[in-house]
């Protein structure tokens, strides 16, 4: 049992680090390529769904590898869920550190820039649909408040942990495998 416990921590740390690197690489590509700025109004949704899918695939591969290499090919739902959540937790912590460094030192004006771009895209979309000026003014008010560093970090943590929990549940349901003859 002690060996299994040591294995889950070591493997979770390793895979959590890898998942964080993948997440950071995606963020850098989005930032350097100006993808949020160049995509349409709903570009953020597509990027979010793409990131969710990539995280799912990577976590699935990691969980299956953990089940085969560390657990001898068999694992309960709980074993895989615990492993997946540890990977997500470690990845989220590393991603939070990156988010802080990015927003504090690399591009401190990025959030302000993105909010201005999204405001303009929203205005263009609403004008194209013939939305009355009063409704457009209400929508634009929502862009006035630039998220603080604390709010950005809190949102990053929540997105990582809640999205990660959902992905972990799905992955655990798929990857679990009971031994022949055992009852779970």
């Amino acid at each position: 049992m002690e060996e299994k416990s040591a294995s889950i921590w070591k493997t979770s740390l390793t895979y959590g680090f890898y998942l964080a690197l993948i997440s950071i690489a995606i963020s850098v590509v989005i930032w350097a390529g100006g993808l949020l700025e160049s995509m349409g109004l709903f570009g953020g949704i597509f990027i979010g769904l793409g990131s969710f899918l990539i995280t799912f695939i990577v976590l699935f591969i990691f969980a299956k590898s953990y089940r085969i290499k560390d657990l001898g090919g068999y694992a309960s739902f709980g074993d895989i869920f615990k492993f997946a959540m540890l990977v997500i937790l470690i990845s989220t912590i590393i991603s939070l550190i990156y988010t802080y460094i990015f927003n504090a030192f690399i591009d401190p004006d990025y959030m302000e820039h993105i909010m201005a771009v999204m405001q303009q895209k929203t205005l263009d979309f609403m004008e194209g649909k013939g939305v009355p000026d009063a409704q457009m003014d209400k929508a634009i008010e929502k862009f006035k408040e630039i998220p603080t560093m604390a709010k950005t970090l809190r949102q990053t943590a929540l997105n990582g942990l809640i999205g990660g929990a959902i992905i972990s549940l799905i992955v655990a349901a798929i990857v679990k495998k009971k031994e022949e003859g055992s009852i779970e």
Side-chain angles (χ1 to χ4, degrees):
M1 186 69 165
E2 203 170 306
E3 184 180 315
K4 185 176 171 182
S5 179
S7 171
I8 193 171
W9 282 103
K10 181 182 176 202
T11 308
S12 296
L13 277 169
T14 302
Y15 287 145
F17 180 74
Y18 291 154
L19 184 59
L21 286 179
I22 291 167
S23 175
I24 291 167
I26 291 169
S27 295
V28 169
V29 167
I30 290 167
W31 170 71
L35 294 181
L36 275 176
E37 296 94 321
S38 65
M39 294 179 83
L41 181 60
F42 303 105
I45 293 170
F46 294 126
I47 289 172
L49 290 173
S51 295
F52 190 85
L53 183 62
I54 290 168
T55 301
F56 172 78
I57 292 167
V58 170
L59 196 58
F60 173 80
I61 292 167
F62 290 167
K64 195 165 183 185
S65 174
Y66 172 69
R67 186 194 76 203
I68 292 167
K69 291 180 182 176
D70 293 276
L71 301 179
Y74 301 101
S76 68
F77 174 88
D79 289 337
I80 298 299
F81 180 72
K82 187 181 344 175
F83 165 77
M85 278 306 298
L86 283 171
V87 170
I88 291 293
L89 179 64
I90 291 160
S91 175
T92 300
I93 291 169
I94 295 168
S95 294
L96 280 170
I97 294 167
Y98 164 76
T99 299
Y100 174 77
I101 291 169
F102 178 83
N103 286 298
F105 304 109
I106 297 171
D107 194 349
D109 298 326
Y110 184 67
M111 288 304 295
E112 189 174 323
H113 171 71
I114 289 298
M115 294 299 279
V117 168
M118 290 300 133
Q119 178 180 353
Q120 188 58 51
K121 287 186 183 292
T122 302
L123 274 174
D124 294 344
F125 177 79
M126 293 175 95
E127 284 174 355
K129 296 292 181 185
V131 174
D133 288 345
Q135 281 184 307
M136 289 192 334
D137 290 341
K138 276 185 181 180
I140 295 309
E141 278 301 312
K142 295 178 182 176
F143 290 99
K144 298 272 188 229
E145 183 184 329
I146 306 297
T148 63
M149 177 72 77
K151 197 179 256 188
T152 300
L153 293 174
R154 183 175 39 247
Q155 195 61 47
T156 299
L158 283 174
N159 290 346
L161 294 175
I162 292 170
I166 293 167
I167 293 171
S168 295
L169 286 167
I170 297 167
V171 165
I174 295 170
V175 174
K176 70 177 176 157
K177 184 176 181 182
K178 56 183 169 179
E179 294 183 59
E180 288 81 26
S182 72
I183 300 172
E184 273 189 44

